[in-house]
Amino acid sequence: DVKVTQSSRYLVKRTGEKVFLECVQDMDHENMFWYRQDPGLGLRLIYFSYDVKMKEKGDIPEGYSVSREKKERFSLILESASTNQTSMYLCASISGGVRETQYFGPGTRLLVL
Amino acid sequence: LAKTTQPISMDSYEGQEVNITCSHNNIATNDYITWYQQFPSQGPRFIIQGYKTKVTNEVASLFIPADRKSSTLSLPRVSLSDTAVYYCLVGAYSGNTPLVFGKGTRLSVIA
């Protein structure tokens, strides 16, 4: 089974802190994604990466950055956390190809105080 | 990317068959239709995918008419554990063109 793991299930941070969310997948997938999910808004794509050191902006990249130094690891960085970044963050990976499906991690619930 | 339209929510009693319809009027020739299920505090998980006609697996069936402008996810004899949000996605994922999740349909199964 594909496994996508996220470094934390729950995080509490203060406004202005730098926050790192880590995601690791074990299936040698080329493509990885970061979403946030808020009540009533569904999943919104923040950033994605289709190769090592490659990154593309999603729908809501403002206030975030990412890093993909190794194929299996995709990090989401909040340079200066703000209260409006309190959310559930979901990482996903996919190997590619038209019939491939995304595999999601368990999510990280971040609270910024 | 094809946009999708689903009902925001649905209620059902245990043991009933539930059908959730998704509209995707501008689906492209090489697009597939994929449904995901998400339980509270978990990431979405794949349940079924199809291109045309009917697909069935151990979890659900997917009905796609000939014009492919809509699709219907059918859950047979739902139980309380089927309470979740169901997402319909349309697209042909390749490289740097990720699929777009809509807001999904919140299914509540009542005893």
Side-chain angles (χ1 to χ4, degrees):
Chain A
D1 275 355
V2 174
K3 279 205 176 150
V4 179
T5 57
Q6 296 182 227
S7 50
S8 305
R9 290 301 306 271
Y10 301 95
L11 271 181
V12 180
K13 297 291 181 181
R14 297 208 173 271
T15 301
E17 279 192 78
K18 191 168 186 176
V19 181
F20 292 88
L21 302 181
E22 302 283 338
C23 175
V24 178
Q25 50 92 4
D26 66 357
M27 283 301 291
D28 203 34
H29 285 171
E30 290 84 7
N31 308 286
M32 299 186 73
F33 309 81
W34 275 106
Y35 296 87
R36 65 176 281 178
Q37 185 171 34
D38 302 288
L41 296 178
L43 279 81
R44 293 182 292 168
L45 182 63
I46 305 172
Y47 267 97
F48 63 102
S49 168
Y50 54 91
D51 202 353
V52 175
K53 296 192 184 295
M54 305 298 289
K55 59 184 179 183
E56 293 283 341
K57 293 181 179 179
D59 299 320
I60 50 165
E62 295 79 19
Y64 303 94
S65 62
V66 289
S67 172
R68 185 128 182 244
E69 296 297 318
K70 292 185 178 182
K71 193 175 187 180
E72 67 272 18
R73 188 180 298 270
F74 191 35
S75 303
L76 180 69
I77 304 154
L78 286 67
E79 295 288 344
S80 177
S82 62
T83 55
N84 63 11
Q85 292 178 310
T86 290
S87 186
M88 168 74 100
Y89 290 88
L90 289 157
C91 175
S93 73
I94 186 173
S95 66
V98 297
R99 297 205 64 178
E100 293 295 325
T101 62
Q102 285 179 298
Y103 294 89
F104 282 83
T108 296
R109 191 169 292 281
L110 173 67
L111 172 62
V112 182
L113 300 173
Chain B
L1 292 176
K3 288 188 178 177
T4 60
T5 303
Q6 306 173 234
I8 294 173
S9 63
M10 296 179 70
D11 295 331
S12 176
Y13 289 101
E14 275 192 297
Q16 288 187 329
E17 178 184 75
V18 170
N19 296 309
I20 306 174
T21 297
C22 179
S23 297
H24 29 80
N25 291 319
N26 57 341
I27 188 169
T29 303
N30 58 347
D31 285 344
Y32 281 80
I33 300 157
T34 309
W35 286 80
Y36 286 80
Q37 175 190 55
Q38 185 180 23
F39 297 115
S41 299
Q42 294 185 26
R45 69 177 187 121
F46 167 86
I47 48 174
I48 199 164
Q49 183 183 73
Y51 184 81
K52 62 180 179 180
T53 62
K54 176 183 175 183
V55 179
T56 297
N57 62 21
E58 65 278 5
V59 176
S61 293
L62 179 60
F63 297 92
I64 305 167
D67 66 6
R68 304 201 326 123
K69 293 184 183 298
S70 67
S71 58
T72 299
L73 175 72
S74 180
L75 304 172
R77 299 181 59 80
V78 294
S79 64
L80 295 176
S81 63
D82 292 315
T83 294
V85 178
Y86 292 82
Y87 295 94
C88 164
L89 276 75
V90 172
Y93 181 82
S94 60
N96 57 354
T97 54
L99 300 182
V100 176
F101 280 81
K103 296 182 182 179
T105 297
R106 183 174 298 278
L107 172 65
S108 298
V109 180
I110 307 162

